[in-house]
Amino acid sequence: MIITISGLPGAGKSLLAKKLAESLGWPLYSMGNLRRQAAADQGLTLAAYNQLGETDPATDLAVDRLQENLGKTQDKLVVEGRTSWHFIPHSVKIFLSVDPRIGAERIWQHLQQPDNRRNEDRSLTGIDDVLASNAERLASDRRRYAKYFQLDVYDQSHYDLVLDTSQLTPDQVLAAVREFIAKRA
């Protein structure tokens, strides 16, 4: 079984992916972390890298190929990424939703941590900036994925489980996902 996790900014995708992989004893692959590192390697923020991706498909190509390869060659892993469900179609597909303001608040709190490595837009000075940045990120994702793959990665009908995390703790999210996976096994 391969589990792919996607969703909205601030919904808790990364935390769920980490906790789920740890609880299952499976490896975790984070496409977001790979993209953030690729952006940083070019001296760009993730927002600038995503914008570049609207005209240069190479920004997505490496992670897309990696996901396809993982789906063909491995089992028992967790993959976090916007297009993971598409490139690993036989996966159990999880989508985390969140109220946009709550998601922005969560991201803002994370950005305040000394170990933060999110590589977000450098002009973020508060929750309203994060909210606006998230909206642009969603729009950029929609443009890129529609252009290159004819996909709307935010169309929840693609997923096996859609979970709104707005009022849930990380442990409650993990428990709900573990329960769902147990029924699929």
Side-chain angles (χ1 to χ4, degrees), residues 38-123:
D41 290 348
Q42 292 187 29
L44 300 172
T45 64
L46 183 60
Y49 194 67
N50 286 344
Q51 193 170 32
L52 174 63
E54 290 180 32
T55 57
D56 181 0
T59 64
D60 286 294
L61 197 55
V63 295
D64 296 343
R65 286 185 180 151
L66 172 63
Q67 292 176 100
E68 282 182 321
N69 186 52
L70 289 171
K72 292 175 181 175
T73 63
Q74 294 193 32
D75 192 27
K76 295 185 179 179
L77 57 118
V78 176
V79 183
E80 175 207 358
R82 300 271 192 270
T83 59
S84 302
W85 62 271
H86 174 72
F87 288 106
I88 310 174
H90 58 283
S91 65
V92 175
K93 303 163 192 71
I94 313 281
F95 184 90
L96 300 183
S97 182
V98 68
D99 175 271
R101 182 127 197 119
I102 292 171
E105 290 168 357
R106 290 175 180 172
I107 291 171
W108 179 248
Q109 287 176 342
H110 186 77
L111 290 173
Q112 304 314 300
Q113 301 302 314
D115 63 342
N116 165 48
R117 291 188 213 132
R118 286 187 62 96
N119 191 24
E120 299 291 331
D121 183 347
R122 293 184 183 108
S123 66

Side-chain angles (χ1 to χ4, degrees), residues 1-8 12-13 16-17 20 78-82 84-85 91-97 153 156 158-165 173-174 176-182 184:
M1 174 184 294
I2 298 174
I3 301 164
T4 54
I5 301 172
S6 184
L8 298 176
K13 298 174 302 297
L16 170 63
L20 184 61
V78 176
V79 183
E80 175 207 358
R82 300 271 192 270
S84 302
W85 62 271
S91 65
V92 175
K93 303 163 192 71
I94 313 281
F95 184 90
L96 300 183
S97 182
V153 295
Q156 296 178 4
H158 297 298
Y159 300 92
D160 301 312
L161 173 66
V162 176
L163 187 61
D164 185 336
T165 67
V173 173
L174 177 62
V177 170
R178 290 288 313 246
E179 181 180 335
F180 179 80
I181 291 167
R184 300 282 306 238

Side-chain angles (χ1 to χ4, degrees), residues 14 28 58 111 137:
S14 297
L28 166 63
L111 290 173
R137 180 176 174 185

Side-chain angles (χ1 to χ4, degrees), residues 19-39:
K19 287 180 164 248
L20 184 61
E22 287 173 357
S23 73
L24 295 171
W26 293 359
L28 166 63
Y29 294 87
S30 171
M31 299 306 112
N33 287 347
L34 292 175
R35 287 183 53 75
R36 282 183 176 86
Q37 185 58 54

